[in-house]
């Protein structure tokens, strides 16, 4: 089989034997993998977890079970699956002993055949293509847990998302699915129509309206948003707090960027608020199962920017091409 390995400063294609599934494992013929920001950080050596030398990259991939090892009961040959972002975190709270990530500390999905523990695999919605299914484990699940992890009922509430990154686009789609009013900020006014097609009620151009939290309050009758999904961190956290309702929530996904490793909230903003700051780190397998059930029930289709068969071209486009939607690598028949 063809597989890919992290050989810094690049990812290298290699030939390897097709692995045999052991007890509790399934062998998956991977048809598509999708890229996330963490994949660039791992390649660059700046990710928070050290990558294993020679690891198979990429956490997100979808494929068909072609063989099952002894004792497997959750899946059978022919099932369509994705792997969980946290293979050993099945439910409850994340604990240090469960911190293991495909494409970083263990082999990932950028390979024609991948071994998955049956407890780390999740069935994917039947209406999705392989490319669409491959987008779910990281970005879509992060958006899902950002929206649902606070425990508050969502229908009728107002959600603010920032920008047009893949987590934000999924948050728009899922928030609409959950019955929310959705407000999106973007620096690209030309994306407004596309965002509204995905479910945005209002789009704020933050280059024309840098004090966008005021506009959020205007759009919510002075109340502020019930939930802000902050995907930018240092650049936006103060505005996100100002945009939140008195007892709102701000989900903090990014804690540093290229210019700062600090989250700074001015006294005036936080002293006048009782908003909660909540951290999210993707989600566990049960969350992924819940997401897939919702996607299936509502027929949601992820946004694909481009699909590639050339791995290097995919990484290059993801880094430099300002994609709107997910960048996918096809590893087999579509």
């Amino acid at each position: 089989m063809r597989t890919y390995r992290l050989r810094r400063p690049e990812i290298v294609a290699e030939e390897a034997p097709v692995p045999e599934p052991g007890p509790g494992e399934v062998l998956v013929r991977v048809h598509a993998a999708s890229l996330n920001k963490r994949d660039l950080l791992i390649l660059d050596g700046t990710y928070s977890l050290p990558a294993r030398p020679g690891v198979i990259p990429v956490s997100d991939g979808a494929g068909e079970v072609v063989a099952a090892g002894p004792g497997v009961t959750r899946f059978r040959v022919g099932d369509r699956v994705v792997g969980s972002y946290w293979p050993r975190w099945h439910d409850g709270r994340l604990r240090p002993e469960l911190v293991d990530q495909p494409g970083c500390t263990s082999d990932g999905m950028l390979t024609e055949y991948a071994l998955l523990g049956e407890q780390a695999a999740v069935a994917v919605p039947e209406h999705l293509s392989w490319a669409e299914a491959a987008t779910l484990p990281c970005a879509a699940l992060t958006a899902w847990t950002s929206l649902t992890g606070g425990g508050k009922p969502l229908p009728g509430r107002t959600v603010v998302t920032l920008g047009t990154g893949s987590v934000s686009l999924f948050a728009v789609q899922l928030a609409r699915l959950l019955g929310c009013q959705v407000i999106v900020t973007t620096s690209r006014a030309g994306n407004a129509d596309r965002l509204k097609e995905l479910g945005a009620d209002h789009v704020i151009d933050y280059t024309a309206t840098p004090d966008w939290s005021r506009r959020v309050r205007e759009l919510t009758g002075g109340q502020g948003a019930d939930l802000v999904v902050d995907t930018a961190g240092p650049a936006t956290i103060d505005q996100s707090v100002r945009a939140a309702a008195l007892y709102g929530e701000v989900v903090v996904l990014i804690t540093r960027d290229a210019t700062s490793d600090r989250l700074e909230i001015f006294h005036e903003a936080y002293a006048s608020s009782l908003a909660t700051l909540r951290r999210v780190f993707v989600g566990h397998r049960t969350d992924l199962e819940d997401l897939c059930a919702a996607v299936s029930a509502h027929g949601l289709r992820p946004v694909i920017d481009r699909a590639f068969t050339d791995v290097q071209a995919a990484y290059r486009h993801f880094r430099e091409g300002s994609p709107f939607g997910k960048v996918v690598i096809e590893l087999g028949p579509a």
Side-chain angles (χ1 to χ4, degrees):
M1 68 173 183
R2 171 165 286 197
T3 191
Y4 295 85
R5 297 279 179 180
L6 178 63
R7 310 289 187 195
R8 287 200 184 102
E10 57 187 354
I11 292 169
V12 178
E14 299 179 358
E15 294 295 316
V18 176
E20 294 285 336
E25 292 181 329
V26 293
L27 179 65
V28 176
R29 173 63 171 96
V30 182
H31 290 276
S34 72
L35 296 177
N36 295 289
K37 183 178 179 180
R38 53 88 79 172
D39 297 310
L40 294 181
L41 298 176
I42 289 170
L43 179 59
D44 295 342
T46 58
Y47 192 54
S48 54
L49 289 178
R52 195 185 77 201
V55 74
I56 297 173
V58 182
S59 61
D60 291 12
E64 178 184 1
V65 175
V66 294
V72 171
T73 59
R74 280 171 50 85
F75 299 99
R76 60 186 179 182
V77 171
D79 285 347
R80 305 170 76 243
V81 299
V82 292
S84 178
Y85 186 89
W86 299 101
R88 295 189 290 128
W89 184 23
H90 303 153
D91 207 343
R93 292 188 171 187
L94 182 61
R95 305 188 304 276
E97 64 268 23
L98 303 180
V99 176
D100 187 26
Q101 289 183 16
C104 183
T105 60
S106 62
D107 282 338
M109 300 297 284
L110 196 59
T111 179
E112 290 184 335
Y113 291 89
L115 283 178
L116 297 178
E118 67 165 334
Q119 298 298 329
V122 171
V124 297
E126 289 296 328
H127 73 281
L128 297 183
S129 68
W130 291 119
E132 291 169 333
T135 69
L136 299 178
C138 182
L141 185 56
T142 299
W144 177 256
T145 55
S146 295
L147 294 168
T148 64
K152 296 180 180 179
L154 288 172
R157 293 178 177 266
T158 301
V159 172
V160 173
T161 68
L162 311 186
T164 55
S166 55
V167 173
S168 295
L169 295 183
F170 273 119
V172 173
Q173 291 180 285
L174 292 167
R176 169 56 63 192
L177 177 155
L178 292 166
C180 301
Q181 177 181 225
V182 185
I183 302 172
V184 183
T185 71
T186 179
S187 62
R188 298 171 185 167
N191 284 331
D193 288 342
R194 300 173 78 182
L195 289 165
K196 288 180 179 178
E197 288 175 3
L198 293 178
D201 295 283
H202 305 282
V203 179
I204 302 171
D205 179 352
Y206 66 80
T207 57
T209 311
D211 194 8
W212 53 264
S213 61
R214 289 182 180 271
R215 180 59 180 152
V216 170
R217 290 195 167 275
E218 290 174 3
L219 292 170
T220 56
Q223 298 300 306
D226 298 290
L227 176 66
V228 181
V229 181
D230 189 313
T231 51
T236 54
I237 188 65
D238 186 76
Q239 286 280 316
S240 292
V241 170
R242 293 174 187 270
L246 181 62
Y247 282 94
E249 282 189 324
V250 178
V251 175
V252 183
L253 297 177
I254 301 296
T255 56
R256 68 176 180 179
D257 61 18
T259 62
S260 177
D261 59 0
R262 287 184 169 188
L263 296 177
E264 295 185 334
I265 303 170
F266 285 93
H267 169 77
E268 176 196 357
Y270 206 52
S272 62
S273 172
L274 295 172
T276 300
L277 303 185
R278 175 162 58 90
R279 286 280 287 140
V280 166
F281 203 157
V282 190
H284 49 60
R285 190 198 72 197
T286 303
D287 289 325
L288 182 55
E289 291 169 334
D290 291 343
L291 166 67
C292 287
V295 168
S296 182
H298 293 270
L300 184 148
R301 303 207 81 106
V303 180
I304 305 294
D305 178 79
R306 283 186 64 183
F308 292 82
T309 56
D310 184 314
V311 169
Q312 307 303 331
Y315 267 81
R316 187 164 54 251
H317 177 71
F318 185 58
R319 189 189 294 274
E320 302 171 1
S322 300
F324 186 95
K326 295 294 290 183
V327 175
V328 175
I329 299 168
E330 294 178 334
L331 295 157

